[in-house]
């Protein structure tokens, strides 16, 4: 039989599309799922380790763990008669797995119900799926060969887990299908259950230190699962650090948009009834979609005096001229503030990943859309940068609307110039269709827009 070669991209988004088509052709209900802040736990301990130096710089990986800005997989509806009752229904099937399973790059099917409850002993690859949505993230300070724990984050991995809503283009949040509310006792118990199941499977549990209960340095080495069991039984946190004497919080003062200055605010609060002198190291650097850091483009050291219970706000701007040339296509910046108190030497970390927003194209259809009849289309666009750009090209595509791609050369655009172009398309298939447009240039990342169209059949028949 014949076949047609089609152009396709790479990565998890395109990798998810193929199983969706194949499974649905086989009569298996399937949907695409997007997980934001997706954990990549390479050693199976349900912990994502990241490392900083004393200047606040996020260091290139000292472990193979990472956090991806998002990852996409499929859910397929299966009975799972190979498992105990209750584990049928939606199953995770990842066509672009990040690790090998029994020597092969494959992942799933893993029951979503098992992931939510921490029952990772059930097949297949449930521990890795659990880590993608509910691992803990631990930040460390590296100084030579010494490392010091800065922050233990139980809430940032696996957020806004989403699929497309049935019958519309809206996003449906399905986070609650994968885990209990973050920080709840049920969620921590599921984490402990998953960790215990992993430990019993033969992995070597990492040792940690339980929080000091009395006296300075009163710590006891124990396995992580034992520490968590004790803390949960006492109604506390299994990962409590030394009681904080200082609070740090990073905020965006204005929405972050490509071409605009980054306006940031740091809230520093003294939590004790004694004056404090604080050394504050700030750093800003690009990060890739897989969490890989690039060298900082801005760093600063600031000394701060805080009276008892005092809160201070420190505001600063980073001009586009400082950061623009350092950005990759992922358009992400990691902002870090590391504080050190000068008597206890206690350290506090605040961090924020900023994704710079891009403007979108505006597509306007100026006449009814009928199959085999030209219709006028108007596309509005803007150069978001404070400098001229060259080589601007508008690409339009859409199944049943455009055969292949239609490219229109726009040439140069002046700094922050707005423009528009009107042209015609002739649809060749009726029914619901999506029209996509992309504007590229020599400097700014691709700017996109889309519009849902209903193509009417030709009055005289098709």
């Amino acid at each position: 039989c014949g076949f047609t070669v089609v152009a396709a991209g790479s990565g998890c988004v395109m990798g998810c599309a193929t199983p969706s088509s194949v499974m649905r052709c086989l009569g298996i209900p399937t949907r695409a799922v997007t997980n934001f802040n997706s954990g990549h736990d390479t050693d199976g301990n349900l912990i994502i380790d990241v490392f900083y130096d004393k200047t606040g710089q996020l260091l290139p990986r000292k472990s193979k763990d990472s956090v991806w800005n998002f990852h996409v997989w499929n859910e397929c509806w299966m009975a799972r008669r190979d498992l105990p009752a209750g584990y049928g229904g939606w199953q995770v099937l990842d066509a672009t797995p990040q690790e090998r399973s029994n020597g092969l790059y494959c992942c799933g099917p893993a029951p979503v119900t098992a992931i939510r409850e921490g029952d990772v002993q059930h097949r297949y690859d449930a521990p890795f799926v659990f880590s993608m949505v509910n691992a803990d993230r631990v930040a460390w300070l590296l100084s030579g060969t010494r490392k010091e724990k800065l922050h233990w984050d139980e809430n940032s991995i696996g957020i806004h887990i989403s699929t497309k809503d049935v019958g519309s283009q809206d996003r449906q949040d399905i986070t609650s299908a994968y885990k209990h509310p973050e920080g709840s006792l049920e969620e921590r118990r599921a984490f402990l259950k998953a960790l215990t199941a992993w430990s019993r499977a033969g992995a070597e549990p990492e040792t940690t230190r339980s929080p000091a209960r009395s006296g300075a340095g009163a710590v006891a080495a124990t396995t992580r699962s034992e520490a968590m069991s004790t803390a949960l039984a006492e109604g506390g946190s299994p990962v409590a650090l030394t009681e904080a004497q200082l609070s740090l919080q990073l905020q965006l003062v204005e929405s972050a948009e490509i071409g605009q200055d980054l306006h940031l605010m740091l809230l520093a609060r003294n939590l004790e009834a004694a004056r404090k002198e604080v050394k504050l190291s700030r750093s800003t650097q690009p990060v890739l979609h897989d969490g890989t850091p690039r060298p900082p483009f801005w760093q600063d050291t600031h000394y701060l005096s805080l009276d008892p219970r005092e809160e201070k706000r420190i505001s600063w701007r980073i001009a586009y001229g400082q950061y623009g040339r350092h950005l990759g296509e992922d358009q992400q910046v990691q902002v870090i503030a590391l504080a050190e108190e000068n008597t206890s030497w206690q350290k506090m970390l605040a961090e924020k990943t900023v994704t710079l927003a891009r403007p979108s194209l505006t597509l306007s259809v100026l006449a009814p859309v009928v199959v085999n009849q030209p219709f006028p289309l108007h596309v509005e666009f803007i150069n978001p940068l404070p400098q001229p750009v060259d080589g601007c090209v508008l690409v339009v595509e859409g199944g049943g609307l455009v055969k292949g791609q239609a490219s229109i050369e726009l040439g140069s655009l002046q700094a922050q110039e707005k423009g528009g172009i009107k042209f015609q398309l002739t649809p060749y298939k009726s029914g619901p269709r999506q029209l996509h447009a992309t504007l590229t240039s020599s400097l700014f990342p691709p700017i996109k827009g889309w519009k849902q169209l209903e193509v009417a059949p030709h009055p005289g028949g098709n």
Side-chain angles (χ1 to χ4, degrees):
C1 62
F3 62 89
T4 302
V5 177
V6 295
S10 60
C12 60
V13 175
M14 296 304 300
C16 174
T18 301
S20 292
S21 299
V22 171
M23 290 294 191
R24 288 170 180 173
C25 286
L26 295 173
I28 300 174
T30 303
R31 62 186 184 181
V33 172
T34 303
N35 177 42
F36 295 93
N37 283 6
S38 189
H40 182 184
D41 175 26
T42 58
D43 52 15
N45 64 355
L46 308 188
I47 301 296
I48 308 295
D49 295 303
V50 294
F51 297 88
Y52 295 87
D53 69 10
K54 62 182 181 181
T55 70
Q57 178 182 349
L58 176 62
L59 298 174
R61 293 177 190 156
K62 301 298 179 182
S63 76
K64 294 182 179 180
D65 293 348
S66 60
V67 180
W68 292 52
N69 58 356
F70 72 91
H71 185 51
V72 180
W73 57 73
N74 294 100
E75 283 182 358
C76 306
W77 190 273
M78 301 180 183
R80 294 307 301 269
R81 295 186 180 90
D82 59 321
L83 299 179
Y87 294 102
W90 290 118
Q91 312 288 314
V92 172
L93 185 66
D94 191 347
T96 53
Q98 300 165 318
E99 294 293 322
R100 285 185 172 90
S101 175
N102 294 326
L104 299 175
Y105 277 107
C106 60
C107 183
V112 173
T113 300
I115 304 307
R116 185 176 195 265
E117 302 304 329
D119 296 328
V120 298
Q121 70 277 14
H122 295 308
R123 296 178 293 184
Y124 294 89
D125 308 306
F128 188 77
V129 176
F130 186 94
S131 71
M132 289 197 292
V133 301
N134 207 13
D136 284 359
R137 181 179 181 273
V138 181
W140 301 87
L141 175 66
L142 278 189
S143 180
T145 58
R146 181 175 176 268
K147 70 177 185 178
E148 178 181 351
K149 193 181 299 177
L150 289 172
H151 182 61
W152 194 308
D153 185 355
E154 303 172 355
N155 303 321
S156 66
I157 302 298
I159 62 173
H160 307 308
I161 304 175
S162 307
T163 191
K164 176 183 169 296
D165 204 2
V166 176
S168 78
Q169 299 298 320
D170 295 336
R171 181 184 75 89
Q172 180 185 357
D173 194 296
I174 57 172
T175 307
S176 60
Y178 279 84
K179 55 185 176 181
H180 296 279
E182 288 285 9
S184 66
L185 188 58
E186 292 81 5
E187 183 267 336
R188 288 289 88 189
R189 282 174 173 163
F191 184 95
L192 174 59
K193 189 193 293 187
L195 183 65
T196 302
W198 161 77
S199 301
R200 288 174 179 170
E204 182 66 27
E206 181 186 53
T207 59
T208 186
R209 294 182 182 272
S210 61
R213 296 294 178 185
S214 60
V219 295
T222 179
T223 66
R224 183 182 288 116
S225 57
E226 290 171 350
M228 290 186 70
S229 297
T230 301
L232 286 169
E234 296 173 357
S237 168
V239 292
L241 303 175
T242 305
E243 184 176 351
Q245 302 174 8
L246 183 70
S247 169
L248 289 183
Q249 185 180 2
L250 272 169
Q251 296 178 347
L252 272 173
V253 178
E254 302 166 353
S255 61
E257 299 179 5
I258 185 71
Q260 305 298 317
D261 294 351
L262 293 177
H263 190 186
L264 298 153
M265 176 82 72
L266 179 68
L267 278 63
R269 183 184 177 194
N270 182 0
L271 301 178
E272 294 196 328
R275 181 179 173 84
K276 292 191 179 297
E277 301 293 329
V278 177
K279 177 184 177 182
L280 186 63
S281 301
R282 294 176 290 173
S283 182
T284 310
Q285 61 194 111
V287 288
L288 303 184
H289 66 278
D290 62 356
T292 302
R294 294 301 191 216
F297 55 78
W298 183 88
Q299 288 187 303
D300 176 71
T301 301
H302 185 83
Y303 292 89
L304 189 64
S305 297
L306 290 170
D307 290 330
R309 312 293 183 187
E310 183 184 11
E311 178 180 281
K312 285 188 176 179
R313 297 169 180 258
I314 304 161
S315 174
W316 74 99
R317 287 181 179 270
I318 302 175
Y320 172 76
Q322 290 179 275
Y323 74 80
R325 65 183 182 275
H326 300 285
L327 290 180
E329 188 172 331
D330 298 319
Q331 303 293 298
Q332 288 193 135
V333 171
Q334 188 81 357
V335 183
I336 302 107
L338 178 63
E340 181 178 40
E341 201 269 327
N342 71 342
T343 55
S344 67
W345 308 114
Q346 185 188 43
K347 299 173 182 64
M348 181 66 63
L349 176 73
E351 53 187 342
K352 190 174 188 65
T353 302
V354 178
T355 301
L356 290 139
R358 313 172 196 181
S360 57
L361 304 178
T362 302
L363 280 62
S364 301
V365 176
L366 306 179
V369 183
V370 181
V371 71
N372 294 328
Q373 292 186 2
F375 71 92
L377 178 73
H378 187 255
V379 179
E380 297 177 54
F381 48 82
I382 185 174
N383 170 16
L385 304 185
Q387 64 188 94
V389 295
D390 299 318
C392 296
V393 177
L394 180 68
V395 177
V396 180
E397 56 191 329
L401 299 169
V402 183
K403 293 183 177 180
Q405 293 180 331
S407 296
I408 304 171
E409 294 188 4
L410 301 176
S412 301
L413 291 174
Q414 295 303 308
Q416 297 180 332
E417 178 185 353
K418 294 182 179 180
I421 186 169
K422 182 179 177 181
F423 54 95
Q424 289 189 330
L425 295 176
T426 303
Y428 57 93
K429 289 185 178 180
S430 60
R433 302 288 165 187
Q434 280 191 9
L435 181 65
H436 293 263
T438 304
L439 177 65
T440 59
S441 81
S442 58
L443 290 178
F444 57 70
I447 297 174
K448 300 177 181 290
W450 69 279
K451 193 170 187 65
Q452 186 76 25
L453 302 179
E454 185 66 37
V455 181
H458 194 279
N462 193 359

